[in-house]
Amino acid sequence: MLRKENVHFRKTNKNTVVKRVREVYLRNDIPCLSTQCPKEPPCHEAVKVESSLLSAEQNDYLIPDYSVALRYVELLEQEELTNIIFTETILQRLQSEDKSRTYKSLRQVAKDPRRRSVVFSNEHCKETNVLREPEESIEHRDWRALVQTAAWYRRHLHGSANIILLSEEFKQEDVLRIDDTTGITVMSLKEYLTKFWPKTAVLHELLASLKEAILEEDLENQTQSSTTSKKTSGGTGYQEYKPLSELEAGVKSERFFQGVMRVRANHRDQAFIRGDANIGEIVIVGSEHRNRAVHGDVVVVELLSKSSWVAPSTHISYNPEEVHAAAEDEEESSSRVRTREVKPTGRVVGIMSRNWQPYVATLQEGSEQEAGSFHLVLPLNPIIPKIRIRHHDAKVLANQRIVVRIDSWPVNSQYPNGHYVRSIGPAHDLDTEISAILIEHGISVSQTTQGFSEGSLKEMPVNTPERPWIADPAELSRRRDLRNHTIFSIDPPNCQDIDDAISIKEIGNGQIEFGVHIADVSYFVRENSLTDLEARARGTTVYLSDRRFDMLPKVLSEQLCSLRHHVDRYAMSVMWTLDSEANVLTTWYGRSVIRSACEMEYEQAQGLLNGKDVVPGLDAKTCKQLKPSVVLLAKTMRKVRARRMAKGGLELESSEVKFKFKEEDGGISDILPKQPLEVHQIIEEAMVMANGYVAQRIYQGFRESAMLRHHPPPIESHFKMLLRAAESKGFSIDTTSNLALANSLRECAAKSENDIEFIKLLKTMATMAMSEASYISSGSFEVSKYAHYGLALDFYTHFTSPIRRYADLVVHRQLMSCLLGSTPQTTDNSSDFLKNGLKMEQVAGHLNYKNRESKLAQKDSTELFQTLYVLQKTRNPAAIENGGDDPEAEDLPFMETGIVSEIRENGFFVFVPRFGIRGPVYLKEKSGEISIPLSALKQSGAAAAAAGGNDHLVTISGCEMDTDLMTQISVKVPPQALGSHAASLPNISTLVQFRLFDKVKVALRLKKSLAHRHTIYMTLIGLDHQSTATASSGTGKAGSGRGATPIKGHSGRLFKKAGEQLKQDEVKRIAQQDPSLAPLQQRDLIQGIQEGQQQQKKGGKNSRKQQQAADPEEVYYQSRPESSLYNLIESFDRFRIVESNESPS
Amino acid sequence: MSRAELLSPEGLRIDGRRPAELRKITSTTCVLSQADGSAYLEHGNTKVLAAVYGPREARHRALVLHDRAILNVELNVAPFSTGERRRRSKNDKRLLEMASFVKQTFEPVVIATLYPRSQIDIYLQVIQHDGGTLQACINATTMALIDAGIAMTDYVCACTAGWVEREAAIDLNYIEESSDTSEVTIAMLPKSSKITLTQMESRLHVDKLEEVFRLAGEGCKQMYEVMDKTIRDRAEDLARKMAV
């Protein structure tokens, strides 16, 4: 090693010049990190390094220079470019010039093994270190350093690789002057792309738009320098950020506060950061105070004087996009509904790090007509500000969804500057919207195209009709043979990726042998293989409402790993011996080979459980074979479940829906709320049991690095909404522990048995209060933090779905390595990974992020389809005939019964359980006018006369309104406002109250928007006070009796098969075709309600009895109103459930 | 200004060393003719001069111990030792503390009973400071004591180690020291692997302590090799001269 000293001079705070001396050691052992290294052994094996290696297949190594690295990072980030050598020279310079974002992106590229890119520490390598000569510019020195590195690589690899220096500043001549070298070419990015990627339009387009952005930036810099220091400018009201040293000092002395800024989804004007414990949340109001920070940035905030502190708004915002986002962000809903107390308010004085991502946006309407090349685009996500982009031909972009990146936000600009990346497709096109969702949630291109690299497909076993895959006899002998056991799987219909199967049988003296068998994915996917790396990057399979994006190649996920029936499959099994009370006596874990007897569907299993001997879809023999197993399974699992419930397991709820698609045109034919069956609970319980036991086992083996899943107890303040909601109904809820919470919820359910909606909503609120469950590495937390609050288990992990979750795959490997004991794994490297707590923590963090994003993507897609459905239902046939978008045509009314789920200042949110849709109802319009439809007044007066059909269209304005936040809102109608109506209706009430959990009739409407997604809102039709009893007698069926709206026809068809019902359906269909008949139905409805009022509770009971008689299966549904949707906490079901605790975030 | 990476993902520290590598060590003994023993030691850019006087008659009669010698350590840091000139008073508490560390380190090692009623003075001068002053002082003192021919049970070798970002590293330089790194200095008797001093002022997770200690111990062994070689070379040189 050679020792040398770097000397540089530096100015201190006191303005004295200080000489700084740094010692630097130059080494001989810096590895080239190429697979072609001619040394024996290759030089990267001589020293311990973890890095991806340059591949041998492609012979061109790229070395970008500083100008490229700084300004064309995005291009380097493109997955097409591989074999990039990042030199320490440029990385150091990026760091010293405070381009940490760029630096991180480059590091990310180097870290990704698929990119085959490396970092070469050329500044510490003896042969490539370059001294700065007197009078030499830094740029030139750095350039010489790169050339030196290139030359070194040529020499080191004996000229077997071509080195391409990418530079926008230097040319080929510059190399020759310094060093005599062959095989080193200097290219600009454009030359490079034309030579090597002539057909990849995306890259060329990106390059062009980046160039434009840079041009613009340069121009701006010039103008800025010419107009000298213009501090606060152009009336934007923004201020320069404070210098970093001041910010750091301020944060340390608690003068400033640092945190991630989040914009309130329901109020774009308001943002907040989480300060420390003393101060809590700090609100930032208005764009001036936000001072160019964008949602997600880490900002430093200075508090304003107390007199200018404000209270966060409790209005429902009127802007469609804002409302849309409001429903998304549940966590905030809990905080924003607090009483009107002022909150600490601040303003942004500096930004620690930006979190700019690619955003999906749409060109502002009309902007394409304007001259000039600057245009404003509206991001799809309304919490992101408008972005100014430069594009030469805006007409091409009109009405398209485009991907945009933010480049900078100068102090004198109202909006941030960005650039156009690429176009996804026309706005409101289904495929476009779905890819927009995927991009917004950072789901990688390789996953969305369903593609796998050739290399990883090569690793896959062959399974074609000509050469079917067969189990290896040698492997069979190593596994426990369970092929003679009766094993079956229970899944939703058409499930392709079956991860789990179950076996159960009695083995004498009251003991039961119970086994859970999970697909042995870890056998097929070797650690650190290409497929493994790809799967790790993807993290999870993403399920959207109508499609799915796999984590593993199809040959595994649908064929070899999927536990299909009548074929031999490898499995990881957990077998327990249970006594008659379902206490565990012994546990066995291990690899096995199984042969599933049957792929059952939930409905079929439930049929068997209900006592049927034969169920549709299965032959009699199989049924006979499986029925005792299913019954025994149910019996056993009920006991296990009861025991866990007694320990405090929660049963929570969320609104889950499934979409039924039309075969012909892909339209949505119906939305179905998820039907909870007992079988769901049973399977769930079996999986929870397996997960819990495996968690304990791997924790024994890996104290420091077991991949566990924990669910921290919720924060007490999040329960506020739940408590007040329950209070308004006269219940009290104890939230001190999970057991107390579970008990009080159960008590509520018992006391208000006939109000299923209320219980459902209450549970949903409890769900929202939950904190987020996440993966952890056991070494990073105390043992007491491992517990799972929702499931009431001390240890928990994910083990049962390795086909669609990477975490499970890690757990499988850890379990295997525990079982093998100290037997060395395939390579040292791999076992090292499982043991390394730090790495496990990183993986856990990554998987948590991926999971959250995929859940959010799923939620977005559900909302997208819900709006599409409403669009279908409200589209006026007349409008379609007139050629599509006829603005004159009035939308069809689409009425539903909903329940008031949240009260706000100017209206309330209504939840329609039938479709799982939640939307706002405004009582006060944007103009400040308070109005209420006449129909609402009438129904509140019990003796209202027979109603006319169009009352809901007549609105009474000029009312007064009074809100008690969270519990009730009342509207008072002054007599003069009634005007002419008062005469015709003598005994009309003048006061209408809306309380939380009231039933209301609403019409669903769609607020259309070009730039954003359409959003659903609702208008009030009337109250549904007294009909509570009738309405609650059956969840999905409540509407079918009344059938005022077209949709109910569907639900009727689904649940009622009686002939009379069919007749009614016919009537409804006519009503659907002829909208003028709809009011008639409305009148019927009101009469029905009046009857309901007379019969009151008794009537409710009667109707329920009748229904019980009608269909035995429905009895079952009703008898378990609170049936377990707590798999919300445990998202192991294959119904694509949003994990309850994750929905708030 | 983003904080520089102390340990790059490639496993190189800021000055190009790997975590378990010491800085370049240069040492000589017998640099001052006035002193009875002296040594000059460089750990990279940390440079220390040690001078030993004695055993000699004690300055103050009151301090004299009738059965053994007393140790007196004085430490001084030159104002020009760092980039910015900074004058330290002689009574700087940090310097006094460091001096007392050195004193305590050597009291059990020097066989003081051989020199009753006398005093051994150790003067330490830090000429250039670039991290790891204490370890350099102790190492220089050892060599100076040997040079003075004072009886000791063993060498005393000191080495620092710390937790740099995500790994244990030894012989921290000034940049690493000054960026909130937990640092441990240990002094070891290499033959018996006994530790006579451990000093740590910052917080360090207990799980990491073992690793840091192990590495520091290895560093001490390496130090021993270097120091021993210098001493032996010097002794051979002297022997050759005497033979002539």
Side-chain angles (χ1 to χ4, degrees), chain B residues 118-141:
Chain B
S118 60
Q119 171 176 354
I120 299 170
D121 288 311
I122 300 165
Y123 298 106
L124 290 162
Q125 178 73 39
V126 177
I127 299 168
Q128 197 169 302
H129 173 68
D130 189 28
T133 319
L134 181 60
Q135 56 159 350
C137 287
I138 292 174
N139 292 332
T141 309

PDB file of all heavy atoms in Angstrom, chain B residues 118-141:
ATOM      1  N   SER B 118      12.444   6.769  44.400  1.00  0.00           N
ATOM      2  CA  SER B 118      12.826   7.561  43.225  1.00  0.00           C
ATOM      3  C   SER B 118      11.595   7.908  42.395  1.00  0.00           C
ATOM      4  O   SER B 118      10.469   7.536  42.726  1.00  0.00           O
ATOM      5  CB  SER B 118      13.831   6.783  42.370  1.00  0.00           C
ATOM      6  OG  SER B 118      13.242   5.580  41.945  1.00  0.00           O
ATOM      7  N   GLN B 119      11.850   8.606  41.333  1.00  0.00           N
ATOM      8  CA  GLN B 119      10.749   9.101  40.515  1.00  0.00           C
ATOM      9  C   GLN B 119      11.086   8.859  39.054  1.00  0.00           C
ATOM     10  O   GLN B 119      12.229   9.019  38.618  1.00  0.00           O
ATOM     11  CB  GLN B 119      10.589  10.602  40.782  1.00  0.00           C
ATOM     12  CG  GLN B 119       9.626  11.279  39.845  1.00  0.00           C
ATOM     13  CD  GLN B 119       9.438  12.746  40.207  1.00  0.00           C
ATOM     14  OE1 GLN B 119       9.953  13.227  41.243  1.00  0.00           O
ATOM     15  NE2 GLN B 119       8.723  13.453  39.390  1.00  0.00           N
ATOM     16  N   ILE B 120      10.083   8.462  38.281  1.00  0.00           N
ATOM     17  CA  ILE B 120      10.288   8.315  36.836  1.00  0.00           C
ATOM     18  C   ILE B 120       9.382   9.334  36.146  1.00  0.00           C
ATOM     19  O   ILE B 120       8.160   9.318  36.328  1.00  0.00           O
ATOM     20  CB  ILE B 120       9.929   6.887  36.365  1.00  0.00           C
ATOM     21  CG1 ILE B 120      10.822   5.866  37.075  1.00  0.00           C
ATOM     22  CG2 ILE B 120      10.062   6.764  34.859  1.00  0.00           C
ATOM     23  CD1 ILE B 120      10.406   4.432  36.871  1.00  0.00           C
ATOM     24  N   ASP B 121       9.959  10.216  35.363  1.00  0.00           N
ATOM     25  CA  ASP B 121       9.177  11.238  34.667  1.00  0.00           C
ATOM     26  C   ASP B 121       8.964  10.833  33.218  1.00  0.00           C
ATOM     27  O   ASP B 121       9.906  10.435  32.531  1.00  0.00           O
ATOM     28  CB  ASP B 121       9.923  12.572  34.697  1.00  0.00           C
ATOM     29  CG  ASP B 121       9.902  13.174  36.085  1.00  0.00           C
ATOM     30  OD1 ASP B 121       8.798  13.241  36.666  1.00  0.00           O
ATOM     31  OD2 ASP B 121      10.981  13.540  36.584  1.00  0.00           O
ATOM     32  N   ILE B 122       7.719  10.935  32.801  1.00  0.00           N
ATOM     33  CA  ILE B 122       7.393  10.645  31.399  1.00  0.00           C
ATOM     34  C   ILE B 122       6.793  11.910  30.800  1.00  0.00           C
ATOM     35  O   ILE B 122       5.770  12.407  31.276  1.00  0.00           O
ATOM     36  CB  ILE B 122       6.386   9.484  31.290  1.00  0.00           C
ATOM     37  CG1 ILE B 122       6.973   8.210  31.929  1.00  0.00           C
ATOM     38  CG2 ILE B 122       6.005   9.229  29.839  1.00  0.00           C
ATOM     39  CD1 ILE B 122       5.955   7.134  32.182  1.00  0.00           C
ATOM     40  N   TYR B 123       7.447  12.461  29.795  1.00  0.00           N
ATOM     41  CA  TYR B 123       6.916  13.647  29.136  1.00  0.00           C
ATOM     42  C   TYR B 123       6.440  13.265  27.748  1.00  0.00           C
ATOM     43  O   TYR B 123       7.187  12.651  26.977  1.00  0.00           O
ATOM     44  CB  TYR B 123       7.983  14.740  29.037  1.00  0.00           C
ATOM     45  CG  TYR B 123       8.446  15.186  30.397  1.00  0.00           C
ATOM     46  CD1 TYR B 123       9.679  14.806  30.891  1.00  0.00           C
ATOM     47  CD2 TYR B 123       7.612  15.972  31.199  1.00  0.00           C
ATOM     48  CE1 TYR B 123      10.087  15.193  32.149  1.00  0.00           C
ATOM     49  CE2 TYR B 123       8.024  16.369  32.464  1.00  0.00           C
ATOM     50  CZ  TYR B 123       9.260  15.983  32.932  1.00  0.00           C
ATOM     51  OH  TYR B 123       9.665  16.354  34.178  1.00  0.00           O
ATOM     52  N   LEU B 124       5.199  13.615  27.454  1.00  0.00           N
ATOM     53  CA  LEU B 124       4.637  13.259  26.155  1.00  0.00           C
ATOM     54  C   LEU B 124       4.289  14.524  25.395  1.00  0.00           C
ATOM     55  O   LEU B 124       3.685  15.452  25.940  1.00  0.00           O
ATOM     56  CB  LEU B 124       3.364  12.423  26.352  1.00  0.00           C
ATOM     57  CG  LEU B 124       3.607  11.018  26.887  1.00  0.00           C
ATOM     58  CD1 LEU B 124       2.330  10.453  27.462  1.00  0.00           C
ATOM     59  CD2 LEU B 124       4.146  10.123  25.805  1.00  0.00           C
ATOM     60  N   GLN B 125       4.663  14.560  24.161  1.00  0.00           N
ATOM     61  CA  GLN B 125       4.370  15.724  23.345  1.00  0.00           C
ATOM     62  C   GLN B 125       3.656  15.258  22.070  1.00  0.00           C
ATOM     63  O   GLN B 125       4.203  14.470  21.292  1.00  0.00           O
ATOM     64  CB  GLN B 125       5.687  16.421  22.979  1.00  0.00           C
ATOM     65  CG  GLN B 125       5.531  17.619  22.085  1.00  0.00           C
ATOM     66  CD  GLN B 125       4.957  18.814  22.826  1.00  0.00           C
ATOM     67  OE1 GLN B 125       5.296  19.074  23.977  1.00  0.00           O
ATOM     68  NE2 GLN B 125       4.059  19.537  22.185  1.00  0.00           N
ATOM     69  N   VAL B 126       2.416  15.713  21.909  1.00  0.00           N
ATOM     70  CA  VAL B 126       1.700  15.374  20.675  1.00  0.00           C
ATOM     71  C   VAL B 126       2.027  16.449  19.651  1.00  0.00           C
ATOM     72  O   VAL B 126       1.691  17.612  19.828  1.00  0.00           O
ATOM     73  CB  VAL B 126       0.176  15.294  20.912  1.00  0.00           C
ATOM     74  CG1 VAL B 126      -0.548  15.003  19.608  1.00  0.00           C
ATOM     75  CG2 VAL B 126      -0.136  14.247  21.945  1.00  0.00           C
ATOM     76  N   ILE B 127       2.700  16.045  18.599  1.00  0.00           N
ATOM     77  CA  ILE B 127       3.165  17.027  17.630  1.00  0.00           C
ATOM     78  C   ILE B 127       2.111  17.236  16.549  1.00  0.00           C
ATOM     79  O   ILE B 127       1.874  18.330  16.084  1.00  0.00           O
ATOM     80  CB  ILE B 127       4.493  16.556  17.007  1.00  0.00           C
ATOM     81  CG1 ILE B 127       5.531  16.416  18.114  1.00  0.00           C
ATOM     82  CG2 ILE B 127       4.957  17.534  15.947  1.00  0.00           C
ATOM     83  CD1 ILE B 127       6.767  15.703  17.678  1.00  0.00           C
ATOM     84  N   GLN B 128       1.495  16.172  16.180  1.00  0.00           N
ATOM     85  CA  GLN B 128       0.446  16.288  15.167  1.00  0.00           C
ATOM     86  C   GLN B 128      -0.704  15.384  15.585  1.00  0.00           C
ATOM     87  O   GLN B 128      -0.478  14.276  16.072  1.00  0.00           O
ATOM     88  CB  GLN B 128       0.995  15.882  13.810  1.00  0.00           C
ATOM     89  CG  GLN B 128       0.131  16.346  12.667  1.00  0.00           C
ATOM     90  CD  GLN B 128       0.855  16.160  11.349  1.00  0.00           C
ATOM     91  OE1 GLN B 128       1.942  16.679  11.126  1.00  0.00           O
ATOM     92  NE2 GLN B 128       0.260  15.404  10.469  1.00  0.00           N
ATOM     93  N   HIS B 129      -1.900  15.873  15.398  1.00  0.00           N
ATOM     94  CA  HIS B 129      -3.044  15.134  15.917  1.00  0.00           C
ATOM     95  C   HIS B 129      -3.964  14.712  14.775  1.00  0.00           C
ATOM     96  O   HIS B 129      -4.442  15.544  14.018  1.00  0.00           O
ATOM     97  CB  HIS B 129      -3.808  16.026  16.908  1.00  0.00           C
ATOM     98  CG  HIS B 129      -5.077  15.431  17.381  1.00  0.00           C
ATOM     99  ND1 HIS B 129      -5.098  14.328  18.175  1.00  0.00           N
ATOM    100  CD2 HIS B 129      -6.357  15.765  17.148  1.00  0.00           C
ATOM    101  CE1 HIS B 129      -6.361  14.010  18.414  1.00  0.00           C
ATOM    102  NE2 HIS B 129      -7.144  14.860  17.800  1.00  0.00           N
ATOM    103  N   ASP B 130      -4.183  13.429  14.639  1.00  0.00           N
ATOM    104  CA  ASP B 130      -5.133  12.958  13.622  1.00  0.00           C
ATOM    105  C   ASP B 130      -5.872  11.725  14.143  1.00  0.00           C
ATOM    106  O   ASP B 130      -5.992  10.710  13.477  1.00  0.00           O
ATOM    107  CB  ASP B 130      -4.393  12.626  12.317  1.00  0.00           C
ATOM    108  CG  ASP B 130      -5.349  12.343  11.173  1.00  0.00           C
ATOM    109  OD1 ASP B 130      -6.464  12.875  11.185  1.00  0.00           O
ATOM    110  OD2 ASP B 130      -4.983  11.574  10.279  1.00  0.00           O
ATOM    111  N   GLY B 131      -6.330  11.818  15.351  1.00  0.00           N
ATOM    112  CA  GLY B 131      -7.096  10.714  15.914  1.00  0.00           C
ATOM    113  C   GLY B 131      -6.218   9.695  16.617  1.00  0.00           C
ATOM    114  O   GLY B 131      -5.094   9.431  16.211  1.00  0.00           O
ATOM    115  N   GLY B 132      -6.739   9.129  17.679  1.00  0.00           N
ATOM    116  CA  GLY B 132      -6.022   8.072  18.383  1.00  0.00           C
ATOM    117  C   GLY B 132      -4.827   8.574  19.180  1.00  0.00           C
ATOM    118  O   GLY B 132      -3.775   7.938  19.191  1.00  0.00           O
ATOM    119  N   THR B 133      -4.988   9.717  19.851  1.00  0.00           N
ATOM    120  CA  THR B 133      -3.870  10.273  20.607  1.00  0.00           C
ATOM    121  C   THR B 133      -3.464   9.371  21.764  1.00  0.00           C
ATOM    122  O   THR B 133      -2.286   9.127  22.006  1.00  0.00           O
ATOM    123  CB  THR B 133      -4.258  11.641  21.196  1.00  0.00           C
ATOM    124  OG1 THR B 133      -4.989  12.333  20.204  1.00  0.00           O
ATOM    125  CG2 THR B 133      -3.040  12.431  21.578  1.00  0.00           C
ATOM    126  N   LEU B 134      -4.453   8.845  22.480  1.00  0.00           N
ATOM    127  CA  LEU B 134      -4.154   8.058  23.678  1.00  0.00           C
ATOM    128  C   LEU B 134      -3.348   6.816  23.324  1.00  0.00           C
ATOM    129  O   LEU B 134      -2.351   6.504  23.973  1.00  0.00           O
ATOM    130  CB  LEU B 134      -5.452   7.703  24.400  1.00  0.00           C
ATOM    131  CG  LEU B 134      -5.283   6.906  25.682  1.00  0.00           C
ATOM    132  CD1 LEU B 134      -4.445   7.672  26.701  1.00  0.00           C
ATOM    133  CD2 LEU B 134      -6.636   6.564  26.289  1.00  0.00           C
ATOM    134  N   GLN B 135      -3.803   6.116  22.278  1.00  0.00           N
ATOM    135  CA  GLN B 135      -3.076   4.905  21.913  1.00  0.00           C
ATOM    136  C   GLN B 135      -1.649   5.235  21.505  1.00  0.00           C
ATOM    137  O   GLN B 135      -0.695   4.540  21.888  1.00  0.00           O
ATOM    138  CB  GLN B 135      -3.797   4.156  20.797  1.00  0.00           C
ATOM    139  CG  GLN B 135      -4.039   4.982  19.551  1.00  0.00           C
ATOM    140  CD  GLN B 135      -4.283   4.132  18.320  1.00  0.00           C
ATOM    141  OE1 GLN B 135      -4.099   2.929  18.349  1.00  0.00           O
ATOM    142  NE2 GLN B 135      -4.725   4.747  17.247  1.00  0.00           N
ATOM    143  N   ALA B 136      -1.479   6.322  20.777  1.00  0.00           N
ATOM    144  CA  ALA B 136      -0.132   6.702  20.344  1.00  0.00           C
ATOM    145  C   ALA B 136       0.731   7.044  21.547  1.00  0.00           C
ATOM    146  O   ALA B 136       1.900   6.657  21.611  1.00  0.00           O
ATOM    147  CB  ALA B 136      -0.219   7.877  19.382  1.00  0.00           C
ATOM    148  N   CYS B 137       0.153   7.750  22.524  1.00  0.00           N
ATOM    149  CA  CYS B 137       0.901   8.125  23.722  1.00  0.00           C
ATOM    150  C   CYS B 137       1.366   6.886  24.471  1.00  0.00           C
ATOM    151  O   CYS B 137       2.522   6.795  24.911  1.00  0.00           O
ATOM    152  CB  CYS B 137       0.045   8.988  24.642  1.00  0.00           C
ATOM    153  SG  CYS B 137      -0.179  10.640  24.005  1.00  0.00           S
ATOM    154  N   ILE B 138       0.469   5.936  24.639  1.00  0.00           N
ATOM    155  CA  ILE B 138       0.829   4.739  25.401  1.00  0.00           C
ATOM    156  C   ILE B 138       1.917   3.964  24.676  1.00  0.00           C
ATOM    157  O   ILE B 138       2.914   3.535  25.280  1.00  0.00           O
ATOM    158  CB  ILE B 138      -0.419   3.863  25.633  1.00  0.00           C
ATOM    159  CG1 ILE B 138      -1.367   4.595  26.583  1.00  0.00           C
ATOM    160  CG2 ILE B 138      -0.034   2.500  26.192  1.00  0.00           C
ATOM    161  CD1 ILE B 138      -2.687   3.918  26.772  1.00  0.00           C
ATOM    162  N   ASN B 139       1.751   3.807  23.365  1.00  0.00           N
ATOM    163  CA  ASN B 139       2.741   3.052  22.608  1.00  0.00           C
ATOM    164  C   ASN B 139       4.107   3.744  22.650  1.00  0.00           C
ATOM    165  O   ASN B 139       5.150   3.084  22.810  1.00  0.00           O
ATOM    166  CB  ASN B 139       2.282   2.872  21.165  1.00  0.00           C
ATOM    167  CG  ASN B 139       1.073   1.955  21.080  1.00  0.00           C
ATOM    168  OD1 ASN B 139       0.899   1.090  21.941  1.00  0.00           O
ATOM    169  ND2 ASN B 139       0.250   2.156  20.078  1.00  0.00           N
ATOM    170  N   ALA B 140       4.080   5.065  22.515  1.00  0.00           N
ATOM    171  CA  ALA B 140       5.352   5.798  22.545  1.00  0.00           C
ATOM    172  C   ALA B 140       5.995   5.673  23.916  1.00  0.00           C
ATOM    173  O   ALA B 140       7.211   5.508  24.039  1.00  0.00           O
ATOM    174  CB  ALA B 140       5.109   7.260  22.198  1.00  0.00           C
ATOM    175  N   THR B 141       5.188   5.733  24.973  1.00  0.00           N
ATOM    176  CA  THR B 141       5.717   5.618  26.335  1.00  0.00           C
ATOM    177  C   THR B 141       6.402   4.271  26.535  1.00  0.00           C
ATOM    178  O   THR B 141       7.486   4.186  27.113  1.00  0.00           O
ATOM    179  CB  THR B 141       4.573   5.775  27.353  1.00  0.00           C
ATOM    180  OG1 THR B 141       3.862   6.951  27.045  1.00  0.00           O
ATOM    181  CG2 THR B 141       5.106   5.851  28.762  1.00  0.00           C
TER     182      THR B 141
END
